[in-house]
Amino acid sequence: MKIDFDKLIIDSGEKITKIGLAREMTEAGIFKSVRSAENMIQFHQSGKAKSCDYELLQYLMKRFNKNLLEIIDIN
């Protein structure tokens, strides 16, 4: 399972970095620290994740106004 954070950010048209997104997710309470959010972004970006946290998916769907299939790449 892979989440292409670069594509999500580019498609949004916003000027935000992955670190900025990590800060937003920490402020939203998804993660306890910015570092853990950054690690999760790297983990999902690499495609090594076998599952994904429900709250994270909900946040990303709402944040980027996309459905589940637009967020994750199952291959």
Side-chain angles (χ1 to χ4, degrees), residues 37-53:
E38 290 173 324
N39 287 339
M40 181 281 313
I41 288 173
Q42 291 174 355
F43 188 65
H44 282 287
Q45 188 91 29
S46 70
K48 294 179 183 177
K50 297 192 188 310
S51 65
C52 191
D53 184 60

Side-chain angles (χ1 to χ4, degrees), residues 5-14 16-18 21 64:
F5 287 94
D6 293 324
K7 184 177 184 309
L8 287 174
I9 291 170
I10 290 169
D11 289 350
S12 74
E14 298 178 35
I16 187 170
T17 61
K18 287 187 271 188
L21 182 60
F64 293 106

Side-chain angles (χ1 to χ4, degrees), residues 3-10 12 14-31 33-38 40-42 45 56 59-64 71:
I3 299 175
D4 191 351
F5 287 94
D6 293 324
K7 184 177 184 309
L8 287 174
I9 291 170
I10 290 169
S12 74
E14 298 178 35
K15 294 207 178 223
I16 187 170
T17 61
K18 287 187 271 188
I19 294 172
L21 182 60
R23 285 188 191 109
E24 285 182 14
M25 289 189 289
T26 303
E27 290 171 5
I30 308 277
F31 296 96
S33 70
V34 174
R35 186 67 195 147
S36 65
E38 290 173 324
M40 181 281 313
I41 288 173
Q42 291 174 355
Q45 188 91 29
L56 171 64
Y59 176 80
L60 292 174
M61 288 188 301
K62 183 176 178 182
R63 169 71 173 82
F64 293 106
I71 299 288

